[in-house]
């Protein structure tokens, strides 16, 4: 039986009619057109479909939409504000942390959740935070650099004056 | 892969949930969904109705018991669990095992009860539907053969829960609600040892909590997980050790193993090691005992069963030494 759920998606309240078997991933992509949420493995093992639910990184492919009633969802489309990219997005560009880009929405959201609670993470903490986001291009080192740079900028610190670590 | 259609039931009380789940085969309990929904997407399960346990607030509580033990509701997420102060201080093996499950996202969604009650897995059973169709039906799918161990007369699907190994070593119990009321059982009784149906819950039975014994002085524990990637993957082998040391000598030594059998394995060597120092000779001996209980099968493609079996004494020694260090360090 279909039911109506209310979600706050990227700051906007949306009412959607969903089937019990609809995943949050399907609803975000098909019903709301938010195709920045990626369908990768669709079985919880790659992290491409990561979104923030009440600030926490979760897998939208394994979240049933009917169980998300009243939740606040942030997708990659909702990170930028006032025409400004989110610091993690900007750092991804500045550190050239994206190759094919398919994993980027996922890890950027995982990193955003990390930095919201811990603006000064160690590299190990960054690795742990993005451990659920597979990057088939293997851009991990640059992704870590980008997250660390975003942390520096968010905390108003001057990043260490060093070039690429390679 | 769309999920097959089902009806969603949202019980608000435990008795209501138990009543719904008593209604037989077509209904399944839904916790975090990270195991069941994957199986449904893979076409392995198709319950007509799901009873969502997330509306039962009491199942999301962690509380200290009058005897100073810890009661962890089955719907507590692995993430919330690992953030609880008592875990790192007193039940290190469980803290490490909870953090070793899946990925940050899976731990934010998956629950302790769901992790314990996960289905056994296997290279053949869990392969994509199209590939599965090309093979004869195995025991786990209702057939009469095992592709992994062709000589086996039973299903050899492997139980791979991380937290089960830690909880067995720590001497945990589970509280199970049923229509006749709640009962507390030793954790080992939750597992059937049958790969087809590894969890010993009947219709209407729901795991509501895990109960840990009170921490005592000289207690220490640790969990070690072997896998190729240090994230997301199931264990190829998981080893937990829990020791109680007094004046340098063992009072109790328990080892929990996972991913080596159809159920998690508990090895209680308190009698063997009691009153003795946990030196290299003793850890070697315990490693040999544990190895004899481990029967990994070729149910993963990454490494051979022989290699996994040889890793058992290696990780048992590491876990025992780490447990002793934790006991000595006050981190117990």
């Amino acid at each position: 039986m279909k039911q109506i759920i209310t979600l706050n998606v990227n700051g906007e309240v949306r009412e959607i009619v969903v089937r019990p078997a609809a995943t949050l991933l399907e609803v975000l992509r098909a019903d709301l057109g938010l195709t920045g949420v990626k369908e990768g493995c669709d079985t919880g093992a790659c992290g491409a479909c990561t979104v923030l639910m009440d600030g926490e990184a979760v897998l939208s492919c394994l979240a049933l939409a009917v169980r998300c009633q009243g939740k606040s969802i942030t997708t990659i489309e909702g990170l930028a504000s006032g025409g400004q990219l989110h610091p993690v997005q900007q750092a991804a560009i500045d550190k050239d942390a994206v190759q094919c880009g398919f994993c980027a929405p996922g890890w950027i959201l995982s990193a955003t959740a990390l930095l919201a609670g811990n603006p000064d993470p160690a590299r190990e903490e960054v690795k742990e935070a993005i451990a659920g986001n597979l990057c088939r291009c293997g851009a991990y080192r640059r992704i870590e650099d980008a997250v660390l740079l975003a942390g520096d900028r968010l905390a108003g610190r001057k990043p260490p004056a060093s070039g690429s670590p390679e | 892969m769309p999920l097959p259609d089902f009806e969603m039931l949202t019980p608000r009380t435990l008795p209501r949930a138990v009543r719904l789940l008593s209604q037989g085969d077509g209904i399944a309990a839904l916790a975090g969904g990270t195991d069941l929904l994957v199986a449904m997407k893979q076409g392995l399960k198709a319950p007509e109705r799901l009873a969502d346990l997330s509306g039962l607030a009491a199942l999301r509580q962690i509380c200290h018991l009058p005897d100073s033990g810890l009661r962890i509701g089955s719907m507590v997420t692995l993430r919330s669990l690992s953030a609880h102060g008592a875990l790192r201080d007193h039940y290190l093996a469980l803290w490490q095992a909870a953090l070793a499950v899946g990925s940050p996202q899976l731990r934010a969604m998956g629950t302790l009860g769901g992790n314990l009650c996960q289905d056994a897995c296997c290279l053949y059973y869990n392969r994509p539907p199209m590939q599965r169709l090309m093979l004869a039906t195995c025991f786990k799918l209702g057939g009469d053969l095992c592709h992994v161990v062709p000589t086996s007369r039973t299903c050899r699907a492997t139980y791979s829960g991380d937290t089960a190994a830690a909880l067995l070593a720590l001497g945990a119990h589970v509280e199970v609600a049923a229509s006749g009321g709640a009962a507390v059982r030793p954790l080992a009784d939750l597992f059937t040892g049958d790969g087809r149906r590894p969890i010993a819950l009947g219709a209407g039975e729901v795991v509501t909590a895990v109960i840990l014994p009170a921490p005592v002085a000289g207690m220490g524990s640790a969990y070690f997980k072997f896998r190729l990637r240090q994230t997301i993957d199931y264990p190829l082998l998981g080893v937990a050790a829990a020791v109680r040391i007094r004046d340098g000598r063992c009072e109790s030594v328990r080892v929990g193993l996972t991913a080596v059998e159809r159920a998690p394995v508990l090895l209680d060597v308190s009698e063997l090691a009691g009153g003795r120092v946990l030196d290299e000779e003793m850890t070697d001996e315990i490693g040999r005992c544990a190895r004899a209980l481990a029967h990994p099968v070729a149910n993963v493609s990454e490494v051979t069963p022989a290699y996994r079996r040889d890793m058992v004494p290696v990780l048992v020694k590491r876990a025992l030494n780490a447990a002793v260090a934790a006991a000595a360090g006050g981190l117990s």
Side-chain angles (χ1 to χ4, degrees), chain B:
Chain B
M1 275 173 283
L3 280 164
D5 276 316
F6 53 84
E7 186 187 346
M8 185 69 131
L9 307 169
T10 52
R12 295 288 161 205
T13 67
L14 186 58
R16 172 83 182 136
V18 166
R19 252 198 321 281
L20 288 171
L21 288 165
S22 304
Q23 293 171 2
D25 277 352
I27 186 162
L30 178 65
T34 55
D35 190 50
L36 178 60
L37 296 182
V38 173
M40 288 171 65
K41 285 189 175 197
Q42 291 173 330
L44 296 169
K45 290 175 187 167
E48 288 155 27
R49 296 185 294 165
L50 293 183
D52 180 1
L53 303 181
S54 65
L56 307 176
L59 271 53
R60 290 199 303 268
Q61 310 287 323
I62 302 180
C63 59
H64 291 277
L65 296 167
D67 72 351
S68 303
L70 196 67
R71 184 181 189 281
I72 306 166
S74 57
M75 288 294 287
V76 171
T77 64
L78 295 166
R79 182 188 161 123
S80 306
L81 180 63
S82 57
H84 195 275
L87 238 64
R88 197 173 176 175
D89 292 346
H90 302 302
Y91 308 102
L92 188 62
L94 180 59
W95 183 70
Q96 291 169 328
L99 282 174
V101 175
S103 62
Q105 295 96 313
L106 287 165
R107 294 194 293 275
M109 304 171 80
T111 64
L112 180 62
N115 190 258
L116 280 176
C117 296
Q118 66 182 263
D119 201 356
C121 45
C122 166
L123 186 61
Y124 289 86
Y125 176 71
N126 295 98
R127 54 171 52 192
M130 283 308 287
Q131 291 181 30
R132 219 165 41 234
L133 284 176
M134 296 169 357
L135 290 163
T137 312
C138 73
F139 286 118
K140 194 158 169 67
L141 286 162
D144 55 4
L145 80 163
C146 174
H147 293 296
V148 172
V149 185
T151 53
S152 177
R153 285 192 287 181
T154 56
C155 172
R156 298 298 298 263
T158 301
Y159 180 83
S160 303
D162 287 294
T163 57
L167 288 167
L168 280 177
L170 290 165
H173 285 66
V174 284
E175 184 187 271
V176 177
S179 52
V184 173
R185 317 176 185 169
L187 175 61
D189 293 354
L190 185 64
F191 305 104
T192 61
D194 178 349
R196 282 176 309 174
R197 206 180 143 272
I199 307 302
L201 289 177
E205 291 190 319
V206 185
V207 174
T208 49
V210 169
I211 294 165
L212 283 162
V216 292
M219 192 176 99
S221 65
Y223 179 71
F224 282 75
K225 176 171 179 170
F226 167 51
R227 53 181 166 176
L228 293 191
R229 301 184 298 187
Q230 293 309 304
T231 182
I232 301 174
D233 291 342
Y234 285 97
L236 297 168
L237 165 67
V239 176
V243 300
R244 208 166 70 222
I245 310 280
R246 184 186 286 183
D247 303 330
R249 291 176 187 278
C250 298
E251 286 193 322
S252 80
V253 180
R254 292 161 63 96
V255 174
L257 307 175
T258 191
V260 293
E261 260 299 350
R262 288 158 280 192
V265 176
L266 170 64
L267 170 64
D268 188 339
V269 282
S270 302
E271 216 159 285
L272 173 78
R276 297 184 49 179
V277 178
L278 207 55
D279 54 14
E280 188 158 5
E281 191 186 340
M282 180 52 67
T283 54
D284 279 344
E285 177 65 23
I286 297 168
R288 276 192 295 273
C289 295
R291 188 180 185 283
L293 292 175
H295 302 100
V297 294
N299 68 334
V300 289
S301 53
E302 294 99 327
V303 291
T304 62
Y307 184 84
R308 283 159 73 193
R309 199 162 188 227
D310 286 345
M311 282 297 286
V312 173
V314 177
L315 289 201
V316 165
K317 282 185 77 167
R318 282 184 202 165
L320 284 168
N321 289 333
V324 170
L331 260 184
S332 55

Side-chain angles (χ1 to χ4, degrees), chain A residues 53-87:
Chain A
M53 188 183 295
D54 293 341
E56 193 169 51
V58 299
L59 301 168
S60 61
C61 77
L62 294 182
L64 294 175
V66 287
R67 295 219 287 183
C68 299
Q69 165 60 34
K71 303 281 190 193
S72 280
I73 310 293
T74 305
T75 70
I76 194 71
E77 289 90 344
L79 272 194
S81 70
Q84 288 273 308
L85 289 178
H86 186 278

